[in-house]
Amino acid sequence: GEVHKIIRQDHAMNKANILPMRWVVEWKMIDGQLAIKARLVVQGTKTKDIREGVQTEVALLHHRALRIMMAWQTKQPNWDPKGSILQGDLKTAFLQAENLSDLVFVKKPKDTGAVSEEECSLVDNMFGSDGIAQAIKTLYGTRDAPHNLDVQVRRSLLNRGYRECLSCPNLYRRFTAKGIKYEDFSKYTPSEKRNILKEKGVTLDSAVFVYVDDLLMFSGMTKAADVAKEIQVQWKFKEEPKPPSRFLG
């Protein structure tokens, strides 16, 4: 079709990448049980990435900021070792993020994994007769996949009232009036908010550390469990967030 003609022309003009795909199978602990996980990834290319302006960097966590937040949390009167701090990994994180690079195309893998006639038809419609499709979502294996996801997770937090810490770009904090959860405080008009803040003062509503698809949620006026529920309106976690035993960032 015309779409595939345009793709071939773009590739000939060195304006697009057409990358091969393959399956990666590994053993992982899923919900406490050992299971096989299959992941479709981009193989990458030996040639230089020809896309202009590809962003690959992801900010690293400031360990001092993390220690300060954890120390602050443990000193709170309502400190709960099982619920005040929760950690969660986003499920199929890269596939949830929109592809910010609009000239990435992939080849259909030799084994698509399709079994039924309906699945085969879906794959054929996706890749077309030439076996080439444009990547609408971020894919495992592309150099900018972590950056694409990181940017969009951060944007979703900003839209929910969080603000990036200037000294630690991985830390997002949300403030509210003392004694009022942000969910309720956000319903007031700007003038009402100013009057409430003058009367009651400012306090931390909640905080979130972000490292690509790894989130660490801290409780303030809003509990970490409620923060997790709020985040899951847009993003899904691999499993129910738990007290942290590790944090990738």
Side-chain angles (χ1 to χ4, degrees), residues 26-37 39 89 238:
E26 59 183 345
W27 289 94
K28 293 198 70 174
M29 292 296 296
I30 301 177
D31 296 330
Q33 295 183 344
L34 190 61
I36 295 177
K37 180 177 181 180
R39 179 182 295 167
D89 293 331
K238 294 178 181 177

PDB file of all heavy atoms in Angstrom, residues 26-37 39 89 238:
ATOM      1  N   GLU A  26      12.768 -15.543  29.395  1.00  0.00           N
ATOM      2  CA  GLU A  26      13.546 -15.644  30.623  1.00  0.00           C
ATOM      3  C   GLU A  26      12.668 -16.109  31.779  1.00  0.00           C
ATOM      4  O   GLU A  26      11.445 -15.999  31.731  1.00  0.00           O
ATOM      5  CB  GLU A  26      14.173 -14.291  30.969  1.00  0.00           C
ATOM      6  CG  GLU A  26      13.144 -13.175  31.163  1.00  0.00           C
ATOM      7  CD  GLU A  26      13.784 -11.826  31.435  1.00  0.00           C
ATOM      8  OE1 GLU A  26      14.986 -11.798  31.751  1.00  0.00           O
ATOM      9  OE2 GLU A  26      13.082 -10.812  31.354  1.00  0.00           O
ATOM     10  N   TRP A  27      13.315 -16.647  32.809  1.00  0.00           N
ATOM     11  CA  TRP A  27      12.628 -17.039  34.031  1.00  0.00           C
ATOM     12  C   TRP A  27      12.580 -15.839  34.972  1.00  0.00           C
ATOM     13  O   TRP A  27      13.587 -15.167  35.180  1.00  0.00           O
ATOM     14  CB  TRP A  27      13.342 -18.200  34.715  1.00  0.00           C
ATOM     15  CG  TRP A  27      13.224 -19.499  33.984  1.00  0.00           C
ATOM     16  CD1 TRP A  27      14.107 -20.026  33.086  1.00  0.00           C
ATOM     17  CD2 TRP A  27      12.152 -20.437  34.089  1.00  0.00           C
ATOM     18  NE1 TRP A  27      13.652 -21.232  32.613  1.00  0.00           N
ATOM     19  CE2 TRP A  27      12.448 -21.516  33.218  1.00  0.00           C
ATOM     20  CE3 TRP A  27      10.965 -20.489  34.829  1.00  0.00           C
ATOM     21  CZ2 TRP A  27      11.621 -22.610  33.069  1.00  0.00           C
ATOM     22  CZ3 TRP A  27      10.134 -21.575  34.687  1.00  0.00           C
ATOM     23  CH2 TRP A  27      10.450 -22.624  33.811  1.00  0.00           C
ATOM     24  N   LYS A  28      11.382 -15.581  35.547  1.00  0.00           N
ATOM     25  CA  LYS A  28      11.245 -14.467  36.475  1.00  0.00           C
ATOM     26  C   LYS A  28      10.288 -14.857  37.596  1.00  0.00           C
ATOM     27  O   LYS A  28       9.437 -15.728  37.439  1.00  0.00           O
ATOM     28  CB  LYS A  28      10.712 -13.212  35.772  1.00  0.00           C
ATOM     29  CG  LYS A  28      11.666 -12.607  34.771  1.00  0.00           C
ATOM     30  CD  LYS A  28      11.294 -11.184  34.435  1.00  0.00           C
ATOM     31  CE  LYS A  28      11.546 -10.231  35.578  1.00  0.00           C
ATOM     32  NZ  LYS A  28      11.318  -8.827  35.202  1.00  0.00           N
ATOM     33  N   MET A  29      10.427 -14.153  38.747  1.00  0.00           N
ATOM     34  CA  MET A  29       9.474 -14.320  39.844  1.00  0.00           C
ATOM     35  C   MET A  29       8.297 -13.387  39.588  1.00  0.00           C
ATOM     36  O   MET A  29       8.447 -12.171  39.560  1.00  0.00           O
ATOM     37  CB  MET A  29      10.139 -13.984  41.177  1.00  0.00           C
ATOM     38  CG  MET A  29      11.219 -14.965  41.599  1.00  0.00           C
ATOM     39  SD  MET A  29      10.574 -16.634  41.897  1.00  0.00           S
ATOM     40  CE  MET A  29       9.486 -16.349  43.295  1.00  0.00           C
ATOM     41  N   ILE A  30       7.122 -13.955  39.352  1.00  0.00           N
ATOM     42  CA  ILE A  30       5.910 -13.186  39.099  1.00  0.00           C
ATOM     43  C   ILE A  30       4.876 -13.562  40.146  1.00  0.00           C
ATOM     44  O   ILE A  30       4.467 -14.726  40.242  1.00  0.00           O
ATOM     45  CB  ILE A  30       5.360 -13.455  37.688  1.00  0.00           C
ATOM     46  CG1 ILE A  30       6.416 -13.087  36.635  1.00  0.00           C
ATOM     47  CG2 ILE A  30       4.078 -12.663  37.448  1.00  0.00           C
ATOM     48  CD1 ILE A  30       6.001 -13.386  35.214  1.00  0.00           C
ATOM     49  N   ASP A  31       4.471 -12.560  40.947  1.00  0.00           N
ATOM     50  CA  ASP A  31       3.510 -12.796  42.039  1.00  0.00           C
ATOM     51  C   ASP A  31       3.982 -13.924  42.956  1.00  0.00           C
ATOM     52  O   ASP A  31       3.207 -14.769  43.399  1.00  0.00           O
ATOM     53  CB  ASP A  31       2.117 -13.123  41.483  1.00  0.00           C
ATOM     54  CG  ASP A  31       1.513 -11.954  40.717  1.00  0.00           C
ATOM     55  OD1 ASP A  31       1.844 -10.811  41.064  1.00  0.00           O
ATOM     56  OD2 ASP A  31       0.733 -12.192  39.783  1.00  0.00           O
ATOM     57  N   GLY A  32       5.280 -13.920  43.219  1.00  0.00           N
ATOM     58  CA  GLY A  32       5.823 -14.891  44.154  1.00  0.00           C
ATOM     59  C   GLY A  32       6.065 -16.270  43.587  1.00  0.00           C
ATOM     60  O   GLY A  32       6.472 -17.183  44.310  1.00  0.00           O
ATOM     61  N   GLN A  33       5.841 -16.463  42.289  1.00  0.00           N
ATOM     62  CA  GLN A  33       6.036 -17.772  41.674  1.00  0.00           C
ATOM     63  C   GLN A  33       6.996 -17.667  40.489  1.00  0.00           C
ATOM     64  O   GLN A  33       6.998 -16.669  39.772  1.00  0.00           O
ATOM     65  CB  GLN A  33       4.701 -18.353  41.202  1.00  0.00           C
ATOM     66  CG  GLN A  33       3.722 -18.653  42.337  1.00  0.00           C
ATOM     67  CD  GLN A  33       2.444 -19.297  41.839  1.00  0.00           C
ATOM     68  OE1 GLN A  33       2.155 -19.266  40.648  1.00  0.00           O
ATOM     69  NE2 GLN A  33       1.674 -19.883  42.748  1.00  0.00           N
ATOM     70  N   LEU A  34       7.801 -18.711  40.321  1.00  0.00           N
ATOM     71  CA  LEU A  34       8.740 -18.742  39.206  1.00  0.00           C
ATOM     72  C   LEU A  34       7.978 -19.038  37.914  1.00  0.00           C
ATOM     73  O   LEU A  34       7.241 -20.023  37.825  1.00  0.00           O
ATOM     74  CB  LEU A  34       9.802 -19.821  39.445  1.00  0.00           C
ATOM     75  CG  LEU A  34      10.999 -19.823  38.491  1.00  0.00           C
ATOM     76  CD1 LEU A  34      11.774 -18.516  38.589  1.00  0.00           C
ATOM     77  CD2 LEU A  34      11.909 -21.013  38.795  1.00  0.00           C
ATOM     78  N   ALA A  35       8.135 -18.169  36.921  1.00  0.00           N
ATOM     79  CA  ALA A  35       7.379 -18.326  35.675  1.00  0.00           C
ATOM     80  C   ALA A  35       8.238 -17.885  34.488  1.00  0.00           C
ATOM     81  O   ALA A  35       9.259 -17.210  34.646  1.00  0.00           O
ATOM     82  CB  ALA A  35       6.098 -17.495  35.725  1.00  0.00           C
ATOM     83  N   ILE A  36       7.823 -18.306  33.300  1.00  0.00           N
ATOM     84  CA  ILE A  36       8.512 -17.916  32.070  1.00  0.00           C
ATOM     85  C   ILE A  36       7.894 -16.623  31.547  1.00  0.00           C
ATOM     86  O   ILE A  36       6.678 -16.502  31.446  1.00  0.00           O
ATOM     87  CB  ILE A  36       8.400 -19.023  31.001  1.00  0.00           C
ATOM     88  CG1 ILE A  36       9.131 -20.284  31.463  1.00  0.00           C
ATOM     89  CG2 ILE A  36       8.975 -18.541  29.679  1.00  0.00           C
ATOM     90  CD1 ILE A  36       9.011 -21.433  30.490  1.00  0.00           C
ATOM     91  N   LYS A  37       8.746 -15.669  31.204  1.00  0.00           N
ATOM     92  CA  LYS A  37       8.287 -14.399  30.647  1.00  0.00           C
ATOM     93  C   LYS A  37       8.878 -14.215  29.261  1.00  0.00           C
ATOM     94  O   LYS A  37      10.091 -14.293  29.079  1.00  0.00           O
ATOM     95  CB  LYS A  37       8.695 -13.235  31.555  1.00  0.00           C
ATOM     96  CG  LYS A  37       8.240 -11.877  31.027  1.00  0.00           C
ATOM     97  CD  LYS A  37       8.597 -10.768  31.984  1.00  0.00           C
ATOM     98  CE  LYS A  37       8.129  -9.419  31.461  1.00  0.00           C
ATOM     99  NZ  LYS A  37       8.463  -8.317  32.389  1.00  0.00           N
ATOM    100  N   ARG A  39       9.282 -11.688  25.986  1.00  0.00           N
ATOM    101  CA  ARG A  39       9.263 -10.256  25.685  1.00  0.00           C
ATOM    102  C   ARG A  39       9.724 -10.047  24.247  1.00  0.00           C
ATOM    103  O   ARG A  39      10.746 -10.572  23.817  1.00  0.00           O
ATOM    104  CB  ARG A  39      10.181  -9.526  26.662  1.00  0.00           C
ATOM    105  CG  ARG A  39      10.284  -8.035  26.448  1.00  0.00           C
ATOM    106  CD  ARG A  39      11.251  -7.437  27.452  1.00  0.00           C
ATOM    107  NE  ARG A  39      10.776  -7.556  28.807  1.00  0.00           N
ATOM    108  CZ  ARG A  39      11.535  -7.339  29.888  1.00  0.00           C
ATOM    109  NH1 ARG A  39      12.807  -7.025  29.739  1.00  0.00           N
ATOM    110  NH2 ARG A  39      11.032  -7.450  31.090  1.00  0.00           N
ATOM    111  N   ASP A  89       6.871  -1.406  40.588  1.00  0.00           N
ATOM    112  CA  ASP A  89       7.396  -1.407  39.223  1.00  0.00           C
ATOM    113  C   ASP A  89       6.227  -1.329  38.249  1.00  0.00           C
ATOM    114  O   ASP A  89       5.264  -2.087  38.381  1.00  0.00           O
ATOM    115  CB  ASP A  89       8.202  -2.680  38.934  1.00  0.00           C
ATOM    116  CG  ASP A  89       9.481  -2.740  39.757  1.00  0.00           C
ATOM    117  OD1 ASP A  89       9.999  -1.659  40.081  1.00  0.00           O
ATOM    118  OD2 ASP A  89       9.944  -3.847  40.064  1.00  0.00           O
ATOM    119  N   LYS A 238       3.214  -3.932  38.144  1.00  0.00           N
ATOM    120  CA  LYS A 238       3.350  -5.363  37.905  1.00  0.00           C
ATOM    121  C   LYS A 238       2.621  -6.155  38.981  1.00  0.00           C
ATOM    122  O   LYS A 238       2.029  -7.200  38.715  1.00  0.00           O
ATOM    123  CB  LYS A 238       4.826  -5.750  37.868  1.00  0.00           C
ATOM    124  CG  LYS A 238       5.592  -5.166  36.692  1.00  0.00           C
ATOM    125  CD  LYS A 238       7.058  -5.546  36.744  1.00  0.00           C
ATOM    126  CE  LYS A 238       7.818  -4.932  35.581  1.00  0.00           C
ATOM    127  NZ  LYS A 238       9.276  -5.224  35.658  1.00  0.00           N
TER     128      LYS A 238
END
